Amino acid sequence: MTLLQHAIGLLLVPLALAAVIALFLRRRGGIASAVSVAAAAVIAGITTILLLHGERFEGSMEWLSLGGFTISFGIKFDDLAALMLTVVAFVGFLIHVFSLGYMKDDGAKARFFGGLSIFMFSMLGIVLADNLFMIFVFWELVGFSSWLLINHYLEKPSAAAASKKAFIVNRVGDFGFLIGIVWCYWQFGTVNLSELGAAVSAGAAVTAAIPLLLFCGAVGKSAQMPLHVWLPDAMEGPTPVSALIHAATMVAAGIYMLCRIEPLMVPQALQVITWVGVATALYAAFCAVVQNDIKRVLAYSTLSQLGYMVAAFGLGGLAYGHVGSTVVLAAGAGAAMFHLTTHAFFKALLFLGSGSIIHACHHEQDIFKMGGLARKMPVTFITFTIGVLAIIGMPGLAGFFSKDAILYLAYEKHTAVFVVLALGAVLTAFYMTRLWRITFFGAPRSDSASHAHETSAVMTVPLVLLAVGAAASGYLALYPEVVDGILGLVPEAHGSAHMVVLVTSLVVLLVGAGAALLLYKPAANADALATRSPALHRLLAGKLWFDEFYGYYVAKVQQRFAMVLNFIDQIVISGLIVRGLAGVVAAFGIGARALHTGNLHSYVYWFLIGAALFWAFAARVF
């Protein structure tokens, strides 16, 4: 088999096995779970083959043709795809394995694992697609599979509402994304990624509207402000779903897409992208400070880290080009993808660690009803601690390298951005230390925590492997030849700038973690911030009232506008126009039918009347 055939097989395997689960295994959860995990293992195996060969290739075939308009199904496997594929395949496989233990007693696990396979197919399609139309097709499939998995506990109203919210909010961003794709095709005559890069390199002009409209897709999928509201609610889904879709892969698709379209970026668009990322990073960090639900703390943390990636991309400038046959991304895209990679490992570890805790505590998610878990769950405690240290930037762990790359880029490019991102790093160290201290130390604060115990090996082994990734993935920056063209341009700090960034990293780590250790005591049954500063706590808990504003808009503006449209449809269009015209036609028909009496004398009279009217018209009498 050729490498292109291997890549096609990479797509077909999860799709085929998802179909098998849907058609034949809906009531056989054990077999369905084994089939889905086997698909994830095959994906990891094929990915390993592609990585070991080290070759880069493209291939496409015509899929749909309408006149002169053609959509191709194509695969583009370059350095960027190789890096993203590594994250999706290996992190995805470990999450599948963890799910075997977490979903063991779930009555609908066949549907769950079928949804995971559909998601893997959709996400792999985004990674390998060679044109924007195909990215959009798989983009929407990812949205569908996300809706399906968030709504797994469909008997819960909150889960059903969260899935609908995620689906609708993402469609808002995707509408702009689609307009951008159409505009791109109209201006360049193609949406093929390689052809777009070549056109821009040849001097084709790009208007800022195109990259900003395409960025709308990333705003929705990567949950950037103001379309961030769906991600915290999406925690209603099973915890492995939170790890796979809402921490490691799906939300990272927006960052990946931005790197794919980097040739289209212009300075005006990059400025907007930078500040959207900066605002999201800081806002989400403040929101995370006051969350009590362990998964919601991690959800807002994900929002904040995604903001860092978006800001890094925007700061990177325009350095897209080629070195030989290798596509080289700008420093910003390199830093963003570097942080995406390290974040996938430590955030998947944290989510699965929270899943292990929730499972052991009989599905309790309030951190103030936990405590004392360090002794009861030693493997989970150690691996979770590694994840916490990685995300807060402990020197030597993955987050330290990738976060410093972004901070150095900000320091070199924009002082205000550097200050805001450094403040975000302080908050990250604060809320993650708060979560860690309250969850694992002190006496158990509920019966669930008192009876907690370490989870099975099928759940702890993935934690250990992800902990290794959280510790080691940052060292990719020291060996850029592993992923030429992607991490090769991760900014390298030198001289005084290096010392400023290094000192800043250590200071924000110590200040944030130290403040949390001083403020939160292991025996606390309530939030110390709410006790000491209730006004500040209420302000942060309000989350700037985005949800309330959207709720007001839907109820008072959108719904009333919909009612007006419904009135016009029912009364004016259906009533007066459709039924009214139908009534006129019916009356005319009744009258015409009445003329057909079958009486010859009547027909003669009507003939004479008609002839007289015709003569009068011809003689211009009237």
Side-chain angles (χ1 to χ4, degrees), residues 599-620:
N599 189 314
L600 181 61
H601 295 286
S602 298
Y603 296 157
V604 171
Y605 287 131
W606 286 118
F607 174 75
L608 291 175
I609 293 171
L613 291 172
F614 182 74
W615 171 82
F617 178 77
R620 299 179 183 271

Side-chain angles (χ1 to χ4, degrees), residues 285 301 304-305 308 391-392 423-433 512:
S301 171
S304 184
Q305 298 305 307
Y308 272 83
I391 194 173
I392 67 177
L423 175 58
V426 173
L427 295 172
T428 300
F430 179 84
Y431 65 70
M432 289 307 302
T433 304

